[in-house]
């Protein structure tokens, strides 16, 4: 399963079970979380190591056992350090699909007028409200992973308990009001990230990326770096290399075929860029992953 979409618009799970679970370790091809956003809620659980995350402009340093709620629509990115972490991404409407009192409880969050308190540190007091919420979150993760009979019902029940505890204990806050300038900048960067996600296999130029943001190329480069910490071309190449990693591990395509599929017109250039980002050649990466999985 891929986890690189910047504006992830593909369906989650299945029509009746719109949930995706990702577990990421240092061996995963998309271990480092790129800047992205989506309309669904995401719950991140750190199992080991350290994870530095930014969501909606707020910075969090997660330790093992910590839980982070990433409210829908927020730009977020993360830098793991020797970490193992889980992400559960789901459609909030799935918890209360029928119009009625339950749906009314969730509408403010679905419309992004209300946010869940994002950071929940690991709990040591088993009788605290936070510990009960953490236990319900952990149950949702374990049922989603185990996929025992009726696991879909168990995941939904656990998430309903999570949201019941959040609303009962008033662990929400109004979504921050953004100034007109900030809203416009968010729309601009999201437009560029969406373009990268949709067209990275094609020949994307700096001028095209700048046009998506409605800027000239010179100002756009400064703007993009300020928003992401990367130059536009480095960011585009990073996205392409992550896509290449997935193909290297999930297909038997040749290096030349993968190079072309990920937007590199020259296989030699692709190999140089791949080494820059991954420290090894595409062939060595594939062989190492195969040896680790055997």
């Amino acid at each position: 399963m891929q986890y690189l979409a910047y504006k992830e618009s593909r369906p989650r799970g299945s029509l009746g079970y719109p949930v995706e679970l990702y577990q990421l370790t240092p061996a995963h091809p998309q271990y480092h979380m790129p800047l992205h956003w989506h309309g669904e809620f995401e719950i991140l659980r750190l199992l080991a190591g350290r994870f530095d995350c930014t969501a909606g402009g707020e910075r969090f340093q997660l330790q093992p056992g910590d839980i982070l709620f990433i409210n829908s629509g927020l730009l977020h990115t993360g830098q793991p350090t020797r970490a193992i972490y889980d992400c559960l991404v789901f459609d909030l409407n799935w918890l209360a699909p029928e119009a009625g009192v339950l749906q009314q409880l969730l509408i403010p969050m679905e419309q992004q007028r209300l946010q869940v308190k994002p950071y929940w540190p690991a709990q040591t007091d088993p009788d605290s409200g936070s510990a009960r919420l953490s236990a319900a979150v952990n149950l949702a993760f374990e049922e989603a992973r185990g996929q025992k009979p009726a696991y879909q019902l168990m995941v939904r029940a656990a998430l309903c308990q999570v949201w019941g505890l959040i609303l009962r204990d008033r662990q929400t806050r109004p979504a921050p009001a953004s100034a007109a300038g900030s809203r416009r900048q968010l729309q601009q960067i999201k437009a560029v990230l969406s373009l990268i996600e949709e067209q990275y296999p094609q020949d994307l130029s700096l001028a095209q990326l700048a046009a998506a943001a409605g800027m000239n190329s010179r100002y756009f480069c400064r703007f993009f770096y300020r928003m992401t910490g990367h130059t536009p071309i480095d960011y585009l190449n990073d996205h392409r290399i992550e896509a290449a990693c997935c193909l290297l591990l999930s297909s038997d395509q040749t290096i030349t075929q993968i190079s072309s599929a990920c937007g590199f017109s020259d296989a030699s250039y692709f190999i140089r860029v791949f080494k820059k980002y991954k420290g090894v050649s595409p062939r060595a990466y594939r062989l190492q992953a195969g040896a680790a999985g055997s």
Side-chain angles (χ1 to χ4, degrees):
M1 290 180 290
Q2 292 194 2
Y3 189 72
L4 57 78
Y6 295 96
K7 194 291 179 183
E8 300 175 279
S9 56
R10 62 185 176 81
R12 303 285 178 183
S14 62
L15 182 62
Y17 181 68
V19 179
E20 287 283 2
L21 172 66
Y22 309 89
Q23 183 172 92
L24 296 102
T25 69
H28 194 282
Q30 294 162 317
Y31 176 58
H32 299 279
M33 181 187 288
L35 185 72
H36 68 291
W37 64 287
H38 41 72
E40 300 93 342
F41 263 82
E42 180 171 354
I43 306 176
L44 188 152
R45 178 180 68 161
L46 185 62
L47 301 176
R50 172 177 158 176
F51 193 93
D52 296 325
C53 183
T54 300
E58 294 184 84
R59 297 180 182 274
F60 306 95
Q61 292 185 342
L62 305 186
Q63 301 296 327
D66 291 354
I67 293 170
L68 187 69
F69 283 83
I70 300 173
N71 290 271
S72 60
L74 294 186
L75 283 167
H76 54 285
T77 183
Q79 179 65 37
T81 303
R82 296 185 296 278
I84 299 174
Y85 63 102
D86 286 340
C87 298
L88 195 67
V89 186
F90 60 95
D91 184 349
L92 189 61
N93 282 325
W94 180 60
L95 303 186
E98 303 297 331
V101 64
L102 296 181
Q103 191 179 78
Q104 291 297 315
L105 290 172
L106 300 178
I107 282 177
M109 279 178 280
E110 182 63 30
Q111 294 180 346
Q112 299 176 22
R113 293 186 283 112
L114 200 65
Q115 293 182 348
V116 177
K117 185 185 83 170
Y119 176 61
W120 297 77
Q123 295 297 314
T124 56
D125 179 4
D127 296 323
S128 69
S130 296
R132 287 191 289 273
L133 183 136
S134 295
V137 167
N138 290 332
L139 177 61
F141 274 100
E142 298 313 318
E143 291 294 339
R145 175 175 294 107
Q147 296 194 359
K148 296 178 181 179
Y151 73 93
Q152 299 94 332
L153 282 174
M154 294 296 294
V155 172
R156 184 174 175 182
L159 290 175
C160 282
Q161 183 181 12
V162 169
W163 253 254
L165 290 167
I166 287 169
L167 293 172
R168 186 197 67 183
D169 297 339
R170 302 181 185 276
Q171 298 295 334
T172 59
R173 64 186 187 185
S178 300
S182 297
R183 287 196 300 272
R184 184 167 182 270
Q185 288 182 348
L186 284 174
Q187 291 169 351
Q188 289 171 310
I189 197 66
K190 286 181 176 181
V192 177
L193 299 182
S194 294
L195 179 65
I196 290 173
E197 165 59 21
E198 294 164 5
Q199 298 188 26
Y200 74 88
Q202 303 174 27
D203 184 17
L204 277 176
S205 67
L206 180 61
Q208 288 174 292
L209 298 176
M215 300 177 182
N216 66 57
S217 296
R218 185 175 180 180
Y219 179 73
F220 169 70
C221 287
R222 296 197 299 269
F223 163 77
F224 192 90
Y225 189 86
R226 187 175 72 250
M227 295 292 287
T228 69
H230 300 271
T231 69
I233 299 305
D234 278 347
Y235 207 88
L236 173 60
N237 281 340
D238 183 58
H239 183 86
R240 286 170 166 165
I241 294 303
E242 295 300 328
C245 287
C246 289
L247 288 177
L248 285 166
L249 300 187
S250 63
S251 77
D252 58 1
Q253 293 183 51
T254 66
I255 302 301
T256 299
Q257 289 172 328
I258 291 173
S259 168
S260 178
C262 295
F264 294 95
S265 58
D266 181 271
S268 297
Y269 177 66
F270 164 65
I271 293 171
R272 291 199 304 272
V273 174
F274 194 97
K275 285 182 177 178
K276 173 185 174 182
Y277 284 92
K278 296 300 179 181
V280 295
S281 69
R283 175 179 170 78
Y285 180 87
R286 175 178 264 172
L287 291 173
Q288 289 174 4
S294 61

